[in-house]
């Protein structure tokens, strides 16, 4: 069974093949849009859509040429249905459905967040249920209890900015190049080890949510918009343009550390209630070296294992879409998949917002 995965949820155009006989990804072809959006200091949705429209057919042709196959060799077409930028989603989703109709192939729309959550299965076979998953990306920060395959319960989520947005906005304030998150992390990692600041001496703080009058899960929520404001106020008094390089490294370190400590502390508090033996870290920010180091150290001390994908699988890619398409096709009943009914359903559309806990479980 050869599954074609297509990803166009934001600013990465990617296609990949997953083969069950080879037990994994056969090949991926990806085009990044960093050069396009760096001029504007962030993703411009309209430009992203146009880039997908321009390069998606060429990437698919290149993939087929490299593997010496045709569309007729594909068993299933999987494509990101949401969440994401609606214009970008429309390009990939419409293209994928058209291919499926033309070739009379089964088609399935994939939840982009679930694809991130299940990506670690491409490299790790020992997935323990139940487990906790920290999903951290540019647009999402969620702590999820995964009670079984495809069964998700959201324990907490961001009330404003996601941690990825906090990284990007902090980088902009510091005048760092796009993409901001990796640039800020790189600067922070250059801060001398002999000057590392302990937790209670950080310049910036992230709010802590106690139970109070909130529901049982709300005290596992996150908030990062105030962190950006703290940095802006600090830079108004201490302009980045007049700082030395080591001072910039120090500010970046404090800023990154506040984010990392907030994520770590929330997971630790959740583990007091959900006594699981495994935590999965997923999403683009999970590639952050400092986050991986601090979380691994803390979870190891608690006797909890941590699973995280290789850095190239953390960011948006079509490998995770093809893999999850295969899993959903094999283990679940996809309504009408054998007859192609979903392809002709006019109500099946891309979703700019699509929560994990709205998904049906994999049986």
């Amino acid at each position: 069974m050869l599954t074609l995965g297509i990803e166009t949820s934001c600013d990465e155009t990617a296609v990949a093949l997953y083969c069950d006989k080879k037990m994994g990804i056969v090949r991926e072809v990806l085009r990044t849009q960093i050069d396009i959006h760096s001029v504007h200091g962030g993703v411009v949705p309209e430009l992203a859509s146009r880039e997908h429209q321009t390069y998606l057919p060429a990437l698919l042709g290149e993939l087929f040429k490299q593997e010496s196959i045709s569309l007729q060799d594909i068993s299933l077409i999987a494509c990101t249905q949401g969440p994401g930028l609606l214009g970008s989603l429309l390009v990939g989703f419409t293209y994928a459905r058209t291919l499926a109709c033309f070739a009379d192939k089964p088609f399935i729309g994939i939840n982009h967040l679930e694809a991130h959550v299940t990506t670690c299965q491409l490299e790790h076979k020992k997935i323990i249920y139940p487990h906790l998953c920290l999903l951290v990306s540019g647009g999402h920060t969620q702590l999820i209890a995964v009670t079984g395959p495809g069964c998700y319960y959201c324990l907490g989520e961001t009330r404003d900015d996601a941690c990825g947005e906090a990284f990007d906005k902090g980088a902009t304030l510091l005048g760092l190049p796009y993409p901001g998150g990796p640039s800020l992390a790189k600067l922070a990692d250059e801060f001398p080890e002999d000057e590392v600041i302990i937790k209670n001496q950080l310049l910036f703080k992230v709010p802590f949510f106690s139970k109070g009058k909130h529901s049982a899960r709300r005290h596992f929520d996150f908030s990062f918009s105030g962190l950006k404001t703290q940095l802006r106020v600090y830079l108004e008094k201490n302009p980045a343009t007049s700082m030395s390089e080591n001072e910039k490294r120090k500010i970046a370190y404090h800023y990154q550390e506040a984010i990392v400590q907030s994520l770590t502390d929330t997971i630790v508090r959740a583990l007091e209630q959900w006594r699981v033996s495994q935590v999965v870290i997923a999403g683009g920010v999970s590639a952050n070296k400092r986050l991986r180091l601090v979380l691994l150290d803390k979870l190891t001390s608690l006797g909890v294992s941590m699973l995280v994908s290789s850095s190239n699988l953390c960011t948006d890619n079509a490998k995770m879409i093809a893999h999850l398409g295969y899993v959903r096709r094999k283990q679940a009943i996809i309504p009408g998949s054998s007859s192609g009914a979903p392809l002709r359903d006019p109500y099946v559309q891309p979703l700019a917002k699509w929560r994990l806990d709205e998904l049906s479980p994999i049986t």
Side-chain angles (χ1 to χ4, degrees), residues 210-279:
S210 57
K211 288 187 178 180
K213 298 180 180 179
H214 300 294
S215 64
R217 76 172 184 85
R218 294 297 289 181
H219 64 288
F220 297 131
D221 279 357
F222 304 91
S223 174
F224 296 102
S225 63
L227 178 63
K228 172 201 65 179
T229 303
Q230 292 175 55
L231 177 59
R232 178 178 56 77
V233 171
Y234 182 90
L235 292 177
E236 287 175 354
K237 300 176 181 177
N238 308 274
T241 53
S242 61
M243 286 184 183
S244 66
E245 283 303 309
N246 196 54
E247 287 177 317
K248 285 186 178 181
R249 295 188 189 101
K250 178 180 178 180
I251 298 306
Y253 175 86
H254 277 267
Y255 192 86
Q256 174 178 260
E257 200 69 8
I259 295 174
V260 170
Q261 292 298 339
S262 172
L263 296 172
T264 303
D265 290 348
T266 303
I267 288 179
V268 170
R269 287 189 290 115
L271 286 171
E272 294 174 357
Q273 178 177 319
W274 293 74
R275 298 186 181 280
V276 298
S277 59
Q278 190 175 82
V279 172

Side-chain angles (χ1 to χ4, degrees), residues 15 17 27-31 55-69:
V15 293
L17 292 173
R27 189 182 299 274
E28 179 186 45
V29 180
L30 181 148
R31 175 179 170 80
Y55 290 101
L56 182 55
L59 292 178
L60 186 62
E62 182 181 343
L63 180 67
F64 284 175
K65 182 179 180 180
Q66 290 179 0
E67 291 301 316
S68 300
I69 62 172

Side-chain angles (χ1 to χ4, degrees), residues 47-103:
L47 292 180
S49 305
R50 293 180 184 182
E51 287 295 300
H52 292 312
Q53 188 173 6
T54 299
Y55 290 101
L56 182 55
L59 292 178
L60 186 62
E62 182 181 343
L63 180 67
F64 284 175
K65 182 179 180 180
Q66 290 179 0
E67 291 301 316
S68 300
I69 62 172
S70 69
L71 187 58
Q72 293 303 322
D73 297 313
I74 301 298
S75 304
L76 171 69
I77 297 177
C79 179
T80 303
Q81 185 176 354
L85 299 176
L86 189 55
S88 294
L89 291 169
L90 274 167
V91 173
F93 196 72
T94 303
Y95 185 79
R97 288 185 61 186
T98 301
L99 286 178
C101 284
F102 175 78

Side-chain angles (χ1 to χ4, degrees), residues 57-163:
L59 292 178
L60 186 62
E62 182 181 343
L63 180 67
F64 284 175
K65 182 179 180 180
Q66 290 179 0
E67 291 301 316
S68 300
I69 62 172
S70 69
L71 187 58
Q72 293 303 322
D73 297 313
I74 301 298
S75 304
L76 171 69
I77 297 177
C79 179
T80 303
Q81 185 176 354
L85 299 176
L86 189 55
S88 294
L89 291 169
L90 274 167
V91 173
F93 196 72
T94 303
Y95 185 79
R97 288 185 61 186
T98 301
L99 286 178
C101 284
F102 175 78
D104 195 23
K105 299 294 182 179
F107 172 85
I108 180 172
I110 295 297
N111 182 292
H112 181 81
L113 301 182
E114 184 179 28
H116 273 303
V117 171
T118 57
T119 298
C120 64
Q121 296 176 16
L122 284 168
E123 298 178 314
H124 305 283
K125 303 304 179 183
K126 296 181 179 180
I127 309 297
I128 303 172
Y129 296 103
H131 64 258
L132 295 184
C133 177
L134 177 66
L135 177 60
V136 280
S137 68
H140 299 85
T141 300
Q142 295 179 322
L143 183 59
I144 303 156
V146 187
T147 57
C151 299
Y152 309 105
Y153 177 73
C154 184
L155 299 178
E157 58 193 329
T158 182
R159 300 188 182 186
D160 38 63
D161 289 349
C163 64

